[in-house]
């Protein structure tokens, strides 16, 4: 991946300032909260979050929070991206599925570790912007698709890791079926749209899954055939909220 400024030396003041803020984000928001996997820390160091934000919020790129990206959706908080990627226990080179591409930022972090990433986004305008941001960084190992990711992306299955960046009432059966044996799936799950549990499923056999509760989180809803339907949605869930 080209780093900001690497093709246009000398490095601009803006790039220097973003690089410095990225370093302090890793120290204060990521490492300090217990993310230790060197592959994850290196990936977070490599991906410029500012490249996935609209111009008007670019200066907030290293704030410790999710940020609006349009269409009522958010780019995830850096810490939650790092924690979810660490929970996937990647070693490098895996075939990974992400549901909820949003801005494309988490897909870029995954792509810095995995062999290749398939990411699915329900909203076409966001899928297009995510694909453009990923292409602008020269990332060739990410495929962005528009569609209902609650049904996964069967054409690419099986996946060694699956991560869902939106909260659903349960883990979709389609996603379980598309997970390779030995693979890990990380997703926010809960019958309450205001709060979910971040869970990890490890496929231990054809029909066997080990279940772990990792933390309590709050994500935007997974909307689709195996998620929430539009009529299920609470009217008072503020768009774009997400936190641990
Ligand atoms: N990973 C993203 C990033 O790094 O910017 C953040 C994802 S945002 C918290 C959740 C995304 O899930 C939203 O963009 C939303 O449109 C998407 N989403 C919700 N339901 C979906 C579905 N059934 N299939 C695919 N994407 C979905």
């Amino acid at each position: 991946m080209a780093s900001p400024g690497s093709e246009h030396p000398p490095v601009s003041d803006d790039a220097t300032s973003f690089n410095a803020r990225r370093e302090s984000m890793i120290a204060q928001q990521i490492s300090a909260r217990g993310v230790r996997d060197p592959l994850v820390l290196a990936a977070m160091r490599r991906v410029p979050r500012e490249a996935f934000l609209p111009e008007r919020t670019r200066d907030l790129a290293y704030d410790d929070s999710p940020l609006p990206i349009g269409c009522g959706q958010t780019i995830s908080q850096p810490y939650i991206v790092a924690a979810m990627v660490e929970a996937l226990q990647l070693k490098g080179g895996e075939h990974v599925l992400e549901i909820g591409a949003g801005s494309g930022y988490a897909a870029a972090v995954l792509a810095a570790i995995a062999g290749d990433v398939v990411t699915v986004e329900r909203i076409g305008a966001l899928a297009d912007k995510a694909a453009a941001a990923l292409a602008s960084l020269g990332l060739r190992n990410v495929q962005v698709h528009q569609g209902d990711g609650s049904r996964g992306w069967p054409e690419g299955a099986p996946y060694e890791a699956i991560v869902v960046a939106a909260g659903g009432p349960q883990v979709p059966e389609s996603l379980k079926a598309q997970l390779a044996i030995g693979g890990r799936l990380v997703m926010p799950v809960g019958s309450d749209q205001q709060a979910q549990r971040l869970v990890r499923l490890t496929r231990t056999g054809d029909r066997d899954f080990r279940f772990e509760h990792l933390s309590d989180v709050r994500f935007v809803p997974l909307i689709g055939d195996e998620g929430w339907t539009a009529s299920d949605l609470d009217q008072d869930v503020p768009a774009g909220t997400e936190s641990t």
Side-chain angles (χ1 to χ4, degrees):
M1 184 190 324
S3 56
S6 65
E7 289 168 2
H8 307 284
V11 176
S12 70
D13 288 350
D14 271 2
T16 306
S17 151
F18 279 130
N19 290 346
R21 286 190 259 167
R22 190 176 318 118
E23 278 306 318
S24 83
M25 177 265 289
I26 289 162
Q28 291 166 17
Q29 302 171 29
I30 313 288
S31 301
R33 291 192 181 120
V35 174
R36 295 276 179 267
D37 185 334
L39 289 177
V40 176
L41 297 176
M44 297 296 291
R45 191 163 278 126
R46 228 169 131 190
V47 178
R49 191 171 185 245
E50 63 275 15
F52 296 89
L53 285 169
E55 188 71 45
R56 68 181 184 287
T57 51
R58 218 158 263 180
D59 207 42
L60 307 175
Y62 296 100
D63 282 12
D64 188 13
S65 63
L67 292 167
I69 53 171
C71 306
Q73 304 301 323
T74 51
I75 183 174
S76 297
Q77 178 194 19
Y79 166 69
I80 196 89
V81 172
M84 289 174 84
V85 175
E86 184 175 58
L88 292 173
Q89 302 172 320
L90 301 175
K91 301 292 174 234
E94 292 88 349
H95 179 49
V96 176
L97 175 66
E98 181 197 30
I99 306 304
S103 68
Y105 172 66
V109 173
L110 289 164
I113 304 174
D116 73 291
V117 178
V118 175
T119 184
V120 185
E121 170 55 51
R122 187 177 74 91
I123 301 173
L126 292 181
D128 291 347
K129 278 196 229 169
L134 291 159
S136 76
L137 294 175
L139 280 166
R140 296 193 211 294
N141 62 338
V142 186
Q143 286 174 37
V144 182
H145 298 285
Q146 192 269 321
D148 174 9
S150 73
R151 304 175 68 175
W153 194 259
E155 294 89 328
Y159 303 94
E160 290 150 301
I162 300 179
V163 61
V164 184
Q170 66 273 312
V171 178
E173 287 303 319
S174 294
L175 296 184
K176 290 166 74 173
Q178 290 169 34
L179 190 63
I181 294 180
R184 284 85 50 209
L185 179 154
V186 171
M187 174 177 173
V189 178
S191 54
D192 175 356
Q193 287 167 33
Q194 306 276 351
Q196 303 100 20
R197 310 179 101 198
L198 189 65
V199 306
R200 174 168 58 206
L201 289 193
T202 303
R203 189 166 191 176
T204 54
D206 215 21
R207 295 185 185 179
D208 301 318
F209 294 84
R210 185 173 67 240
F211 173 93
E212 295 164 90
H213 170 210
L214 303 178
S215 61
D216 295 324
V217 290
R218 179 182 167 106
F219 269 81
V220 295
L222 179 75
I223 301 168
D225 285 354
E226 296 187 49
W228 299 102
T229 63
S231 60
D232 289 328
L233 295 182
D234 292 347
Q235 295 308 309
D236 58 351
V237 177
T241 56
E242 174 200 318
S243 59
T244 51

